[in-house]
Structure formats: C-alpha cells, structure tokens
Amino acid sequence: MIDDLYDCIVIGAGPAGLSASLFLARYLRRTLTFHHNSPRNEYAHGVHGFLGHHGIRPGELLTRGRDEVTSHGGLIIEACVTAVEAVSPEHFRVFAGDEGAEQKVFDARRLVLATGLRDLTPDCPGFREFYGSSVHHCPDCDGYEVKNKRVAVLAHGKNAAGFTANLLTWTGQLTLLTDQGEIAKDEGAKLAALDVAIRTERVVGLEGDKSTRQLQRVLFAEGEPLECDALFFNLGTKLATDFHEELGCRLDPECDLLWVDETQQTSIKGVYAAGDITPNSQLAVVAAAEGAMAAIHIHRSLIPAERQI
Ligand SMILES: Cc1cc2nc3c(=O)[nH]c(=O)nc-3n(C[C@H](O)[C@H](O)[C@H](O)COP(=O)(O)OP(=O)(O)OC[C@H]3O[C@@H](n4cnc5c(N)ncnc54)[C@H](O)[C@@H]3O)c2cc1C
C-alpha cells in the first residue's frame, strides 16, 4: 500500500469538480483537486440561474468555491494533468506538470473526471469582443436576456432548426444564419411557417459597441448586414481532455459524452465523472449537483465493510 495514496483525486475545478471536492473534504476524505484555470464559462459576464448566486461573475463563483474547499481541508493544486492510468481497480495514478517540465505523480483510490467541454466557436472577426455578453451559445443560460429582442442564430446541420425553434420561447424576431451550411428542406419550411427568416450567405464579421460588448449587426460576404441585438450559435462541443480514453471509460452513444450510472460512476469502477462531460444539461448548477452526487457515492464506496451496518 502506498503511504500517500489520496482517497480521491478530482481533475478539474469548475463547478462540478469543486462541488465534489467540497463534499469530499466535509466527509474528511483526503482529496486533491487539480485545475489549470480555464473554465468553460470564462467569457461569460455572469452565471444565470444558479439559485442564490444568479448573475455572479464566473471567476467569483470559482474563487469562493476554492476558498470553501481549502477552508475544509481540501488541497487544490494549480497544474495541468497530462495523463492518467489505472494501476489496479483501487489505485489510479495521475501525472501533472507544465509542458516541458518534470511530471509529478499522484496516486488515489478514486478519481473524479470534471474537466468540462470546449465549445466550437465561430471563426469570424468580432466574435471574442461580444462572446458572453451579447453572443451566446446556451438558450437555457441566456434566453431570458434576449426576451423580445432581435436575435440572429448561427447554426447549420441536424440540430440547427430545433435550436432555433427553442429560442421562440423568448422572442419572435429570429433570423437563422446557415453561413453556407446545410439545413434540411422540410425543417427550413417549418421555420418559415413560424416566421423565422433564414439567410444562407457566408458570415464575415460581427460589429457593435465594443466598450459595452453590445453586438449591433452581422456582416455577410454579400447582401445587406443584419441589424440585431444578440446572436446565439450552435456549432458543437468537444471534450476538453481524453482521460476517459486512457482509462477505458465508455461514451454515451447518443451524445458522445461520458456514460455514468445514477451514482455518477463511469463504466470503469472507481472512476466517476461530473459536470458538462456527462449527458445531463450543461449548466453550472447541474454540474455542481453532479459533483456533490459523485462525492456522496465515493465516500460511501470507501466506508470499510465493518462500518456498513
Ligand atoms: C459563455 C458561457 C456562458 C455560460 N453561462 C452559463 C449560465 O449563465 N448559467 C449556467 O448555469 N451555466 C452557464 N454556462 C455553462 C457552465 O459554464 C457549465 O455548465 C459549467 O462551467 C460546467 O462546469 P464543469 O465543472 O463541468 O466544467 P468547467 O467549468 O469547464 O470546468 C472544467 C475545469 O477543468 C479544468 N481542467 C480541464 N482540463 C484539465 C487538465 N488537463 N488538468 C487540470 N485541470 C483541467 C479546467 O481548468 C476547469 O477548471 C455557460 C458556459 C459558457 C461557455
């Protein structure tokens, strides 16, 4: 038995990882959490819909979370995890360190993967200036903020029509921009029947007031600019890391995210996953709840048999 075996290593310190770490620390479990400070919502101006913290700046939520973890005795290290390995069913190894530097090795009885997703974002000038303020990707997070406004939707392919129609919850002034991509004919007809305009020209830029981060118009390779108050995009996401592959965790075939059971355990015993990398809704409050669930079940799994009465 290795002396400095942690009860659990949590990889990722967004809402999911920190929530798992907080609960594990409160169960007096020896827990080590890694983060390298690139949460998914770093561009957002505020976290919407997190009860009791609605509108809090993402950085502030995470700073508070880290303080809560460390004040309960949890250990957080700012370092990039570069690889993981299952040494045996009760022993996982994590390698961490900056690129080019010597890798340090850490061992634990359980692992939580909470490394989040990366959004595929539009490749057009102006995008970064407005992303998180008047350019969004998540209707659940920011739909309310565009109530009755003029909204452009940048999307194509099989999810484009559904994604656009969902925004009718908040506004009837919608224009779908396919950016030369495809959309099925029958879906285009359904959107037209719902008074959604469709433009197919190539999008070449976003313009607006950079000081307030307010988008005002979308520019096209041909044709008139589209005046609008906000833009939503849906171009897909990808997992931030491939640790699941190194460990052999299976993906949910419906969405290509990590399959988990009702205890947040992946298909590999002892490896749990929480947050955006699992198939549930991608919201900060859901990520935090999944982290807490993972911690509760990890704690239970570590209770020795003689105490399980
Ligand atoms: C622009 C934007 C706005 C949003 N607005 C809202 C909103 O208003 N309301 C809401 O509920 N949700 C919102 N979301 C969604 C929300 O941010 C996510 O659901 C939430 O952050 C998921 O938490 P997570 O812990 O799973 O992942 P993340 O928050 O992405 O955290 C992942 C963590 O893993 C760490 N990590 C990754 N790889 C490594 C590695 N190799 N080594 C060490 N650490 C690593 C990262 O540093 C990061 O800290 C928004 C997202 C975006 C992009």
Side-chain angles (χ1 to χ4, degrees):
M1 168 72 87
I2 297 183
D3 284 345
D4 53 3
L5 198 63
Y6 287 93
D7 286 322
C8 186
I9 289 180
V10 179
I11 310 176
L18 287 174
S19 180
S21 311
L22 177 59
F23 271 86
L24 287 164
R26 289 177 55 80
Y27 289 124
L28 308 181
R29 293 293 175 190
R30 230 178 131 236
T31 305
L32 175 60
T33 304
F34 285 97
H35 83 114
H36 67 47
N37 217 10
S38 58
R40 183 175 177 200
N41 62 353
E42 61 187 321
Y43 296 103
H45 55 152
V47 179
H48 295 146
F50 200 125
L51 188 67
H53 290 296
H54 171 78
I56 188 171
R57 295 199 69 86
E60 170 69 11
L61 182 69
L62 299 181
T63 302
R64 286 196 202 180
R66 287 196 294 270
D67 289 348
E68 284 165 3
V69 170
T70 51
S71 70
H72 283 79
L75 186 59
I76 301 180
I77 296 184
E78 185 163 351
C80 186
V81 172
T82 54
V84 292
E85 174 184 309
V87 179
S88 73
E90 288 277 323
H91 181 178
F92 300 94
R93 181 158 288 164
V94 167
F95 301 82
D98 293 328
E99 218 179 85
E102 196 192 331
Q103 299 291 297
K104 290 200 172 129
V105 175
F106 303 85
D107 295 281
R109 298 161 73 195
R110 301 285 183 271
L111 268 190
V112 177
L113 303 179
T115 44
L117 295 178
R118 289 283 162 263
D119 292 287
L120 305 181
T121 55
D123 178 23
C124 63
F127 168 73
R128 290 278 162 221
E129 279 88 336
F130 307 110
Y131 186 33
S133 278
S134 48
V135 172
H136 312 283
H137 75 284
C138 168
D140 296 329
C141 305
D142 297 296
Y144 182 88
E145 278 60 41
V146 302
K147 203 168 41 157
N148 299 326
K149 291 190 177 169
R150 299 166 304 171
V151 174
V153 183
L154 181 57
H156 50 76
K158 70 178 167 66
N159 297 326
F163 182 80
T164 308
N166 184 20
L167 282 155
L168 287 167
T169 305
W170 296 281
T171 181
Q173 302 182 70
L174 291 174
T175 307
L176 171 61
L177 317 178
T178 65
D179 194 21
Q180 297 186 310
E182 296 283 316
I183 167 168
K185 250 190 187 155
D186 58 329
E187 292 186 341
K190 280 185 191 163
L191 287 178
L194 292 165
D195 280 338
V196 176
I198 302 180
R199 290 190 61 167
T200 55
E201 307 98 302
R202 187 161 64 86
V203 173
V204 295
L206 304 181
E207 266 185 10
D209 182 343
K210 290 181 184 167
S211 64
T212 57
R213 305 191 69 215
Q214 176 55 56
L215 175 70
Q216 289 166 338
R217 68 193 64 82
V218 180
L219 308 177
F220 301 92
E222 294 152 37
E224 288 298 300
L226 175 76
E227 300 294 319
C228 60
D229 307 302
L231 179 141
F232 277 78
F233 65 93
N234 180 4
L235 304 175
T237 53
K238 61 176 184 185
L239 292 161
T241 65
D242 57 9
F243 300 145
H244 60 286
E245 284 176 12
E246 294 173 24
L247 294 161
C249 306
R250 83 172 159 87
L251 297 181
D252 185 321
E254 296 266 303
C255 55
D256 282 345
L257 297 172
L258 265 73
W259 178 91
V260 286
D261 66 14
E262 63 286 355
T263 70
Q264 300 296 136
Q265 189 164 225
T266 68
S267 57
I268 299 297
K269 194 162 181 282
V271 179
Y272 293 70
D276 283 356
I277 63 172
T278 74
N280 274 328
S281 290
Q282 290 159 12
L283 290 172
V285 72
V286 174
E290 288 187 1
M293 287 297 288
I296 289 166
H297 291 285
I298 287 169
H299 167 64
R300 282 187 194 158
S301 76
L302 289 167
I303 294 174
E306 65 276 13
R307 275 179 36 208
Q308 294 187 18
I309 301 170

